[in-house]
Amino acid sequence: MTGAGALNTLAFAPFTLWWLPFFTLALLVVMLGHVSHWRQAALAGFCYGLGWFGVGISWVHVSIDQFGGLPLIASLGLMALLVAYLALFPALAAALSYRLDNRRRLAGYVSPLLFAASWVGAEWLRSFLLTGFPWLSLGYSQSAAGLADYAPLIGETGITFILAASAAALARLYQPGPTMLRVAPAVLAALVIASSPLLQTVKGWQYSDRNARLVMVQGNIKQELRWQPEQEWPTMLKYLDLTRPHFSSADIVIWPEAAIPQLEPLAEAFLDNLNKAAFYNDAALITGILDYNLKTEQAWNNLIVLGKDTAQASAGHYFYGHANRFSKHHLLPIGEFVPFENWLRALAPIFDLPMSSFTRGSYVQPNLLANDYQLLSAICFEIAFPRQIRANFTADTDFILTVSNDAWFGDSIGPHQHLQIARMRAKEFGKPVLRATNNGITATINADGSIRQRLPQFAEAVLLDTVPLSSGRTWYSRFGDWPLAVCCLFLLALAGFRLRR
């Protein structure tokens, strides 16, 4: 099972073998039909998860090893704990589906629908327990092929349900029972998969006659230099120098997460000049910056808008503390907040990283307003939380903006997976996604999830693009995961009732 889970890594970017999870998950379901106790089912799911996450999020070890200040054995141990924790969720899904489907498991197989409901329920728990880490959810493997066209209707979560049910239906072919009962679920699953391209006509949105001229700057600042005091002005001037030749050709200029390394109260002189420069060029500039309140001793990971908030603005609208900003809500454990910090910070350098004690922003915040365009914002891995995106989505949203600093993860598969997640958000909400990063992968993404332009990794570069806007609303942006949640709860409740009888 561990090997089957490890193969899942090839289903995600940069490999994108989208068909692979149907078979690896089917192997797990076949195994569930041959065990004799729910504990054995849980063990099979746990082993599957060890391979799935042990290889799939191996990029996390790059940041722990290179920037955590831990000995190799300690960093490997910490990584093992993370992988073991994440493997508990497929273990839960396997055990739950085995335990609840009493009648069918006695016949040697598990119901495809009940397995899918159990799987989605476990993934939902993974998305919010301990602040949540929904990375590598199997639906993301379908971002550009396979079940991709279901995204505007049922989102990545719904795609995961179809994928899990289809895998269980495929497993049914190799399990006991009359031929018709074994073949019919697989045929139905094949029809569902084959129908995906036909859904393009009901996606709910269309391109409008509006567009925006975008400039996104990738500074490629090395991670070990980002918070060195002597590097503050060189970093800010680098971003300004890269931007200056393109200011006049932009409606919006975007700098990545914490592109300005000075705290906002200390950078007011630079920000004032940047505000005026953006205004004089009829542009808005969005940048990441850290804010710190000296009185309350609170810090925030922010995005702020400088220059023109509206096209009719008579002056640059920025001043310290203005409301046209976004504060990160989903903080990264250890990196941005430390649970039980009074005890953990003294244990090892990884628990005392610079800038690792932030205050959480509100779950729902206004879209940023930049030169009359409205941008729904997500900082770093917040883009992996579709329910947060939907909670902040409005009828006036023009773009989804995500900024990040993936320099933590070196030349690994992590940034590629990050971009793949952003593509799924575009498809779900029918809005173009702008992804600005420090060292890649910076890209513009169409409302249909296709990549318009992207910058190479590990290079100082500027991306210029005129991005078409879209109008209309997808089914998923209106109703989210609620229809699927009701369906899953009904299936699990019905199975529980039948088990009691």
Side-chain angles (χ1 to χ4, degrees):
M1 282 296 97
T2 303
L7 282 175
N8 276 342
T9 303
L10 300 178
F12 299 94
F15 312 105
T16 62
L17 301 181
W18 64 269
W19 46 267
L20 197 56
F22 292 94
F23 296 95
T24 63
L25 206 54
L27 286 174
L28 175 60
V29 179
V30 169
M31 176 64 72
L32 298 184
H34 288 84
V35 299
S36 58
H37 197 278
W38 68 264
R39 291 187 180 88
Q40 293 174 318
L43 180 60
F46 185 76
C47 291
Y48 184 90
L50 288 179
W52 178 15
F53 297 111
V55 178
I57 63 164
S58 57
W59 48 269
V60 175
H61 184 257
V62 176
S63 61
I64 296 175
D65 181 51
Q66 294 186 9
F67 305 106
L70 294 176
L72 179 60
I73 187 66
S75 63
L76 290 174
L78 193 59
M79 187 68 190
L81 285 175
L82 174 61
V83 170
Y85 164 72
L86 295 174
L88 292 175
F89 296 96
L92 172 63
L96 185 63
S97 60
Y98 180 88
R99 183 71 181 89
L100 289 179
D101 209 3
N102 185 60
R103 182 172 62 86
R104 290 187 177 86
R105 68 177 172 82
L106 290 176
Y109 73 97
V110 176
S111 165
L113 291 179
L114 184 57
F115 176 77
S118 301
W119 190 270
V120 167
E123 288 292 86
W124 175 76
L125 285 175
R126 182 161 73 94
S127 72
F128 80 87
L129 283 183
L130 301 180
T131 74
F133 188 66
W135 207 272
L136 282 195
S137 180
L138 292 180
Y140 289 118
S141 65
Q142 312 295 299
S143 293
L147 299 168
D149 292 309
Y150 280 96
L153 298 176
I154 56 177
E156 185 275 331
T157 310
I159 290 175
T160 297
F161 182 92
I162 294 177
L163 195 159
S166 300
L170 179 63
R172 186 75 182 95
L173 291 172
Y174 300 95
Q175 293 169 325
T179 301
M180 180 59 68
L181 293 180
R182 291 190 296 110
V183 173
V187 172
L188 181 59
L191 289 174
V192 170
I193 297 170
S195 299
S196 179
L198 303 178
L199 300 175
Q200 294 181 12
T201 57
V202 293
K203 60 182 183 288
W205 63 269
Q206 55 282 325
Y207 286 109
S208 69
D209 56 358
R210 299 176 61 214
N211 56 55
R213 299 173 300 163
L214 278 302
V215 172
M216 292 196 287
V217 183
Q218 182 173 289
N220 194 36
I221 308 298
K222 292 182 179 180
Q223 185 59 34
E224 58 268 23
L225 300 179
R226 281 180 55 78
W227 305 116
Q228 298 297 324
E230 66 274 12
Q231 292 296 320
E232 289 180 351
W233 275 101
T235 296
M236 293 188 291
L237 293 176
K238 173 185 276 192
Y239 271 101
L240 185 58
D241 290 342
L242 288 170
T243 302
R244 192 176 285 114
H246 311 289
F247 239 146
S248 60
S249 60
D251 294 316
I252 305 174
V253 177
I254 301 171
W255 293 0
E257 179 184 12
I260 298 177
Q262 276 189 340
L263 297 176
E264 189 176 353
L266 304 179
E268 286 194 74
F270 178 80
L271 292 173
D272 183 58
N273 288 326
L274 191 59
N275 182 47
K276 293 176 181 177
F279 171 75
Y280 290 144
N281 285 281
D282 288 323
L285 187 146
I286 302 173
T287 182
I289 192 170
L290 306 182
D291 187 15
Y292 183 75
N293 188 309
L294 295 174
K295 294 182 179 179
T296 64
E297 297 185 344
Q298 291 177 294
W300 295 268
N301 187 354
N302 282 349
L303 283 171
I304 59 173
V305 182
L306 302 102
K308 305 186 75 171
D309 55 347
T310 66
Q312 295 77 33
S314 59
H317 80 298
Y318 172 79
F319 58 90
Y320 178 61
H322 80 335
N324 198 5
R325 63 182 56 223
F326 171 82
S327 299
K328 188 176 182 181
H329 171 77
H330 263 104
L331 301 178
L332 187 66
I334 309 304
E336 292 176 315
F337 81 97
V338 180
F340 312 111
E341 62 178 328
N342 290 336
W343 297 292
L344 290 181
R345 285 195 182 276
L347 291 180
I350 191 172
F351 299 117
D352 199 25
L353 292 171
M355 311 299 174
S356 60
S357 186
F358 286 99
T359 299
R360 192 184 306 276
S362 300
Y363 186 67
V364 177
Q365 301 178 52
N367 288 187
L368 296 180
L369 182 61
N371 220 348
D372 273 340
Y373 297 96
Q374 295 205 21
L375 297 94
L376 189 165
S377 302
I379 297 178
C380 193
F381 85 134
E382 285 186 310
I383 196 66
F385 294 87
R387 285 172 285 280
Q388 178 182 337
I389 301 299
R390 180 175 172 269
N392 289 274
F393 190 86
T394 74
D396 297 321
T397 297
D398 295 308
F399 295 101
I400 297 174
L401 169 64
T402 177
V403 299
S404 184
N405 171 35
D406 288 349
W408 289 101
F409 310 116
D411 187 13
S412 69
I413 59 178
H416 298 274
Q417 294 173 354
H418 209 166
L419 177 61
Q420 186 178 43
I421 291 171
R423 295 180 67 181
M424 180 60 77
R425 295 291 90 83
K427 293 188 72 69
E428 287 174 337
F429 293 92
K431 292 296 177 183
V433 171
L434 312 176
R435 183 169 191 265
T437 70
N438 169 42
N439 70 334
I441 305 168
T442 298
T444 51
I445 304 170
N446 281 317
D448 63 3
S450 60
I451 295 178
R452 293 181 54 82
Q453 293 191 38
R454 59 186 287 174
L455 294 178
Q457 284 185 281
F458 316 115
E460 293 179 18
V462 178
L463 186 153
L464 289 81
D465 196 3
T466 300
V467 179
L469 273 63
S470 63
S471 60
R473 294 284 297 270
T474 66
W475 177 278
Y476 185 77
S477 72
R478 293 177 185 273
F479 301 103
D481 293 321
W482 283 109
L484 179 63
V486 171
C487 176
C488 290
L489 286 173
F490 174 77
L491 289 169
L492 294 173
L494 180 61
F497 175 75
R498 291 178 63 181
L499 181 64
R500 287 193 63 185
R501 292 189 62 185

PDB file of all heavy atoms in Angstrom, residues 244-257:
ATOM      1  N   ARG A 244      10.169  50.080 -12.636  1.00  0.00           N
ATOM      2  CA  ARG A 244      10.141  51.425 -13.218  1.00  0.00           C
ATOM      3  C   ARG A 244       9.964  51.450 -14.742  1.00  0.00           C
ATOM      4  O   ARG A 244       9.141  52.240 -15.245  1.00  0.00           O
ATOM      5  CB  ARG A 244      11.413  52.189 -12.805  1.00  0.00           C
ATOM      6  CG  ARG A 244      11.337  53.680 -13.114  1.00  0.00           C
ATOM      7  CD  ARG A 244      12.556  54.411 -12.621  1.00  0.00           C
ATOM      8  NE  ARG A 244      12.548  54.593 -11.173  1.00  0.00           N
ATOM      9  CZ  ARG A 244      13.411  54.033 -10.333  1.00  0.00           C
ATOM     10  NH1 ARG A 244      14.355  53.226 -10.788  1.00  0.00           N
ATOM     11  NH2 ARG A 244      13.330  54.271  -9.048  1.00  0.00           N
ATOM     12  N   PRO A 245      10.655  50.603 -15.524  1.00  0.00           N
ATOM     13  CA  PRO A 245      10.474  50.679 -16.986  1.00  0.00           C
ATOM     14  C   PRO A 245       9.081  50.283 -17.461  1.00  0.00           C
ATOM     15  O   PRO A 245       8.714  50.587 -18.604  1.00  0.00           O
ATOM     16  CB  PRO A 245      11.523  49.683 -17.512  1.00  0.00           C
ATOM     17  CG  PRO A 245      12.494  49.502 -16.406  1.00  0.00           C
ATOM     18  CD  PRO A 245      11.713  49.643 -15.155  1.00  0.00           C
ATOM     19  N   HIS A 246       8.287  49.636 -16.607  1.00  0.00           N
ATOM     20  CA  HIS A 246       6.994  49.114 -17.039  1.00  0.00           C
ATOM     21  C   HIS A 246       5.821  49.797 -16.355  1.00  0.00           C
ATOM     22  O   HIS A 246       4.670  49.439 -16.606  1.00  0.00           O
ATOM     23  CB  HIS A 246       6.928  47.611 -16.761  1.00  0.00           C
ATOM     24  CG  HIS A 246       8.114  46.851 -17.256  1.00  0.00           C
ATOM     25  ND1 HIS A 246       8.345  46.637 -18.600  1.00  0.00           N
ATOM     26  CD2 HIS A 246       9.165  46.285 -16.596  1.00  0.00           C
ATOM     27  CE1 HIS A 246       9.468  45.940 -18.742  1.00  0.00           C
ATOM     28  NE2 HIS A 246       9.983  45.728 -17.547  1.00  0.00           N
ATOM     29  N   PHE A 247       6.113  50.799 -15.520  1.00  0.00           N
ATOM     30  CA  PHE A 247       5.062  51.452 -14.742  1.00  0.00           C
ATOM     31  C   PHE A 247       3.963  52.018 -15.637  1.00  0.00           C
ATOM     32  O   PHE A 247       2.765  51.828 -15.393  1.00  0.00           O
ATOM     33  CB  PHE A 247       5.662  52.577 -13.904  1.00  0.00           C
ATOM     34  CG  PHE A 247       5.449  52.409 -12.430  1.00  0.00           C
ATOM     35  CD1 PHE A 247       6.413  52.839 -11.527  1.00  0.00           C
ATOM     36  CD2 PHE A 247       4.291  51.840 -11.927  1.00  0.00           C
ATOM     37  CE1 PHE A 247       6.232  52.688 -10.161  1.00  0.00           C
ATOM     38  CE2 PHE A 247       4.102  51.694 -10.562  1.00  0.00           C
ATOM     39  CZ  PHE A 247       5.077  52.119  -9.678  1.00  0.00           C
ATOM     40  N   SER A 248       4.362  52.718 -16.679  1.00  0.00           N
ATOM     41  CA  SER A 248       3.387  53.435 -17.498  1.00  0.00           C
ATOM     42  C   SER A 248       2.531  52.519 -18.352  1.00  0.00           C
ATOM     43  O   SER A 248       1.513  52.956 -18.900  1.00  0.00           O
ATOM     44  CB  SER A 248       4.111  54.447 -18.399  1.00  0.00           C
ATOM     45  OG  SER A 248       5.020  53.776 -19.251  1.00  0.00           O
ATOM     46  N   SER A 249       2.919  51.252 -18.486  1.00  0.00           N
ATOM     47  CA  SER A 249       2.144  50.328 -19.325  1.00  0.00           C
ATOM     48  C   SER A 249       1.279  49.393 -18.493  1.00  0.00           C
ATOM     49  O   SER A 249       0.787  48.382 -18.995  1.00  0.00           O
ATOM     50  CB  SER A 249       3.090  49.493 -20.195  1.00  0.00           C
ATOM     51  OG  SER A 249       3.980  48.730 -19.393  1.00  0.00           O
ATOM     52  N   ALA A 250       1.069  49.735 -17.219  1.00  0.00           N
ATOM     53  CA  ALA A 250       0.343  48.835 -16.322  1.00  0.00           C
ATOM     54  C   ALA A 250      -0.882  49.506 -15.726  1.00  0.00           C
ATOM     55  O   ALA A 250      -0.854  50.692 -15.382  1.00  0.00           O
ATOM     56  CB  ALA A 250       1.257  48.363 -15.199  1.00  0.00           C
ATOM     57  N   ASP A 251      -1.942  48.733 -15.601  1.00  0.00           N
ATOM     58  CA  ASP A 251      -3.058  49.141 -14.754  1.00  0.00           C
ATOM     59  C   ASP A 251      -2.770  48.750 -13.308  1.00  0.00           C
ATOM     60  O   ASP A 251      -3.074  49.506 -12.387  1.00  0.00           O
ATOM     61  CB  ASP A 251      -4.355  48.455 -15.208  1.00  0.00           C
ATOM     62  CG  ASP A 251      -4.800  48.900 -16.586  1.00  0.00           C
ATOM     63  OD1 ASP A 251      -4.766  50.110 -16.856  1.00  0.00           O
ATOM     64  OD2 ASP A 251      -5.159  48.026 -17.403  1.00  0.00           O
ATOM     65  N   ILE A 252      -2.184  47.557 -13.142  1.00  0.00           N
ATOM     66  CA  ILE A 252      -1.860  47.063 -11.802  1.00  0.00           C
ATOM     67  C   ILE A 252      -0.461  46.458 -11.830  1.00  0.00           C
ATOM     68  O   ILE A 252      -0.146  45.655 -12.721  1.00  0.00           O
ATOM     69  CB  ILE A 252      -2.860  45.991 -11.322  1.00  0.00           C
ATOM     70  CG1 ILE A 252      -4.302  46.506 -11.386  1.00  0.00           C
ATOM     71  CG2 ILE A 252      -2.532  45.556  -9.893  1.00  0.00           C
ATOM     72  CD1 ILE A 252      -5.328  45.442 -11.062  1.00  0.00           C
ATOM     73  N   VAL A 253       0.361  46.826 -10.869  1.00  0.00           N
ATOM     74  CA  VAL A 253       1.673  46.213 -10.650  1.00  0.00           C
ATOM     75  C   VAL A 253       1.577  45.370  -9.382  1.00  0.00           C
ATOM     76  O   VAL A 253       1.011  45.823  -8.374  1.00  0.00           O
ATOM     77  CB  VAL A 253       2.781  47.278 -10.493  1.00  0.00           C
ATOM     78  CG1 VAL A 253       4.125  46.616 -10.191  1.00  0.00           C
ATOM     79  CG2 VAL A 253       2.869  48.134 -11.749  1.00  0.00           C
ATOM     80  N   ILE A 254       2.124  44.160  -9.427  1.00  0.00           N
ATOM     81  CA  ILE A 254       2.021  43.263  -8.273  1.00  0.00           C
ATOM     82  C   ILE A 254       3.412  42.792  -7.858  1.00  0.00           C
ATOM     83  O   ILE A 254       4.163  42.269  -8.693  1.00  0.00           O
ATOM     84  CB  ILE A 254       1.125  42.049  -8.592  1.00  0.00           C
ATOM     85  CG1 ILE A 254      -0.279  42.524  -8.997  1.00  0.00           C
ATOM     86  CG2 ILE A 254       1.038  41.114  -7.387  1.00  0.00           C
ATOM     87  CD1 ILE A 254      -1.165  41.419  -9.529  1.00  0.00           C
ATOM     88  N   TRP A 255       3.727  43.002  -6.590  1.00  0.00           N
ATOM     89  CA  TRP A 255       4.934  42.454  -5.988  1.00  0.00           C
ATOM     90  C   TRP A 255       4.531  41.313  -5.061  1.00  0.00           C
ATOM     91  O   TRP A 255       3.412  41.289  -4.546  1.00  0.00           O
ATOM     92  CB  TRP A 255       5.669  43.530  -5.188  1.00  0.00           C
ATOM     93  CG  TRP A 255       6.258  44.646  -6.010  1.00  0.00           C
ATOM     94  CD1 TRP A 255       6.202  44.797  -7.364  1.00  0.00           C
ATOM     95  CD2 TRP A 255       6.985  45.772  -5.511  1.00  0.00           C
ATOM     96  NE1 TRP A 255       6.843  45.946  -7.758  1.00  0.00           N
ATOM     97  CE2 TRP A 255       7.345  46.572  -6.634  1.00  0.00           C
ATOM     98  CE3 TRP A 255       7.375  46.206  -4.259  1.00  0.00           C
ATOM     99  CZ2 TRP A 255       8.067  47.750  -6.507  1.00  0.00           C
ATOM    100  CZ3 TRP A 255       8.095  47.384  -4.124  1.00  0.00           C
ATOM    101  CH2 TRP A 255       8.444  48.143  -5.248  1.00  0.00           C
ATOM    102  N   PRO A 256       5.405  40.356  -4.816  1.00  0.00           N
ATOM    103  CA  PRO A 256       5.012  39.151  -4.070  1.00  0.00           C
ATOM    104  C   PRO A 256       4.923  39.348  -2.559  1.00  0.00           C
ATOM    105  O   PRO A 256       5.066  40.464  -2.034  1.00  0.00           O
ATOM    106  CB  PRO A 256       6.097  38.144  -4.439  1.00  0.00           C
ATOM    107  CG  PRO A 256       7.283  38.979  -4.769  1.00  0.00           C
ATOM    108  CD  PRO A 256       6.749  40.237  -5.389  1.00  0.00           C
ATOM    109  N   GLU A 257       4.708  38.237  -1.875  1.00  0.00           N
ATOM    110  CA  GLU A 257       4.582  38.217  -0.417  1.00  0.00           C
ATOM    111  C   GLU A 257       5.823  38.823   0.244  1.00  0.00           C
ATOM    112  O   GLU A 257       6.950  38.453  -0.067  1.00  0.00           O
ATOM    113  CB  GLU A 257       4.403  36.775   0.066  1.00  0.00           C
ATOM    114  CG  GLU A 257       4.288  36.629   1.568  1.00  0.00           C
ATOM    115  CD  GLU A 257       4.209  35.190   2.029  1.00  0.00           C
ATOM    116  OE1 GLU A 257       4.461  34.281   1.203  1.00  0.00           O
ATOM    117  OE2 GLU A 257       3.894  34.967   3.203  1.00  0.00           O
TER     118      GLU A 257
END
